[in-house]
Amino acid sequence: MAKIPEYKDDFFEGEPGLLGVFDYEYEEIVGFYKKLRWAQFIFIPPAWLTSICCTPCFLNQNIEWDTRSRHLALTVDGIKFVHARRPTLCGLSFTDKGKEAKTVPYDKITDCDVQEPAGTACCCFIENVLHKVTVDTASSGMSKDGIEKHELEIIGLKHPHEFKQAVWSIKRGELPKGALLSELPKQQQMAQMLPEKASADLTTPLLTDIRDELRKMNSLMAAKYGAAV
């Protein structure tokens, strides 16, 4: 049975329609990207030019700021991802980056899957240790440049498989165990039922048309071959 694990992130406290929050593995994410970014800086000589702007001095801090400002929740409206306002570059207020938020409705989701960590990220010695959850909708697919595009890419969740199971459960109109609400709002349940109802509404007239056409063909063939005999 799908369930929402216990969480510590209080960013969404007071959010209307909140079902549950999924924590990131902040420490593991920060550790991984520090190793990766420093390896890229050392082994890519053009990156050394950024030393003029003191970029390496703030590299670790920028990774911390970027990572710890990411938050993820499931609400009655869909998957909600928020990249909160955070400092960038040297950390002065005029370099801050504004809050970014995105909600993917459950009825628009066509796929939600987990990619297990494997291989290395750089120079054959930095091991990939982070799970990646991909969420797709009808607009996902290959870009013009041949790059696979997802509606959401969530890297470093503490409970990626539980997140996937919870999403599919809610998409079926079932609340996962541990949800903060006792039941989905009626409009949400209706939204989950609409695709099936629409399919049924389309299928019945189509089958009726096919039946009528077959009857016409049978009548014509009977008339033709009957006259020939």
Side-chain angles (χ1 to χ4, degrees):
M1 181 180 179
K3 68 175 182 178
I4 296 177
E6 293 184 3
Y7 57 89
K8 297 180 180 178
D9 189 353
D10 60 359
F11 179 83
F12 294 100
E13 188 172 348
E15 177 85 14
L18 183 66
L19 297 178
V21 176
F22 282 81
D23 289 332
Y24 280 85
E25 287 277 17
Y26 289 131
E27 295 300 331
E28 194 166 15
I29 297 170
V30 167
F32 171 77
Y33 279 108
K34 282 181 179 179
K35 292 178 184 177
L36 178 61
R37 296 290 179 254
W38 277 110
Q40 291 171 335
F41 176 78
I42 293 170
F43 294 108
I44 302 176
W48 301 347
L49 295 175
T50 61
S51 299
I52 299 172
C53 302
C54 297
T55 298
C57 302
F58 300 100
L59 193 152
N60 287 347
Q61 193 60 60
N62 272 269
I63 293 171
E64 293 271 359
W65 290 330
D66 184 78
T67 299
R68 298 185 188 279
S69 57
R70 295 173 183 265
H71 310 276
L72 186 72
L74 296 179
T75 71
V76 295
D77 298 316
I79 301 170
K80 185 167 186 178
F81 167 76
V82 176
H83 206 173
R85 179 176 177 146
R86 65 260 181 212
T88 64
L89 302 177
C90 61
L92 296 177
S93 59
F94 67 85
T95 66
D96 283 2
K97 194 163 185 179
K99 175 182 174 181
E100 304 163 58
K102 185 172 190 176
T103 299
V104 183
Y106 299 110
D107 61 334
K108 302 295 184 184
I109 296 172
T110 58
D111 194 19
C112 178
D113 212 348
V114 178
Q115 181 178 323
E116 301 284 344
T120 55
C122 180
C123 305
C124 301
F125 61 83
I126 298 177
E127 184 180 358
N128 279 316
V129 294
L130 304 176
H131 288 78
K132 179 166 73 172
V133 177
T134 56
V135 178
D136 293 319
T137 63
S139 61
S140 303
M142 302 299 288
S143 67
K144 293 180 180 179
D145 300 324
I147 300 173
E148 192 173 13
K149 182 180 66 172
H150 301 287
E151 193 69 31
L152 271 181
E153 285 192 5
I154 308 158
I155 299 174
L157 277 187
K158 184 176 290 187
H159 301 287
H161 295 285
E162 287 83 353
F163 174 80
K164 170 187 171 180
Q165 293 166 6
V167 169
W168 284 117
S169 176
I170 299 170
K171 186 172 171 62
R172 292 192 298 269
E174 305 168 359
L175 272 179
K177 184 178 180 181
L180 299 180
L181 296 181
S182 58
E183 62 179 13
L184 288 170
K186 290 185 178 179
Q187 62 266 31
Q188 178 68 24
Q189 296 177 15
M190 289 297 294
Q192 307 302 339
M193 295 169 61
L194 280 176
E196 296 180 7
K197 185 178 184 300
S199 177
D201 290 344
L202 290 172
T203 301
T204 302
L206 180 61
L207 291 175
T208 302
D209 290 343
I210 293 173
R211 181 200 63 192
D212 293 343
E213 290 298 323
L214 287 173
R215 284 178 177 174
K216 289 179 183 179
M217 291 176 62
N218 287 337
S219 298
L220 289 172
M221 292 179 67
K224 178 179 179 182
Y225 289 109
V229 173

